[in-house]
Amino acid sequence: MRCQIACNFRDAKQYWGLEDFMNVTPTGATHAAHLSLFMVNVAYRLRADVHPRDPDYSVLDVKADWRGSKYVEETIQMLPEKPAPVLFAKILNQVAGLGRIHASQPSFSFS
């Protein structure tokens, strides 16, 4: 159990910026730690859904997929006419995969 806790803290620091939080109050530090550890759990859950189809899928890929899907959604909001759902899904998969570490395309969306 102690090893798992240490691994979760390492992932919170590496992937979710726990080491970058500049909190001066105990409450702020507590909230930052809880948020980072929560995001570790969410990322591993999302990764577990894709892992059977794509064994190389990593936490960095989860972050890249989410960021790419957010960029697509924000860009589509600015268009005067929304694309058809099929085209939207194709655009989403194409752009969300741009920042991924591993090349295969995601088969889900965060919306």
Side-chain angles (χ1 to χ4, degrees):
M1 187 64 147
R2 186 176 187 162
C3 180
Q4 185 62 48
I5 292 169
C7 289
N8 281 353
F9 269 106
R10 183 203 63 215
D11 290 345
K13 286 171 54 178
Q14 180 178 358
Y15 298 124
W16 303 108
L18 183 60
E19 64 191 8
D20 297 331
F21 285 113
M22 301 300 276
N23 295 298
V24 293
T25 64
T27 303
T30 300
H31 290 316
H34 287 164
L35 177 63
S36 293
L37 291 171
F38 172 73
M39 290 306 299
V40 168
N41 291 334
V42 169
Y44 279 119
R45 180 64 182 108
L46 291 172
R47 186 178 161 269
D49 290 341
V50 178
H51 193 66
R53 292 187 311 271
D54 188 1
D56 293 330
Y57 196 74
S58 70
V59 174
L60 293 174
D61 294 326
V62 171
K63 288 175 66 174
D65 283 344
W66 187 87
R67 188 177 296 119
S69 66
K70 186 66 175 168
Y71 290 162
V72 169
E73 289 174 15
E74 292 296 323
T75 304
I76 296 296
Q77 294 288 330
M78 295 186 319
L79 294 176
E81 187 175 315
K82 307 295 184 249
V86 173
L87 180 59
F88 179 75
K90 185 174 180 178
I91 293 169
L92 183 66
N93 282 335
Q94 183 78 24
V95 173
L98 289 177
R100 286 189 57 185
I101 304 302
H102 302 96
S104 66
Q105 294 296 323
S107 62
F108 65 95
S109 77
F110 290 99
S111 345

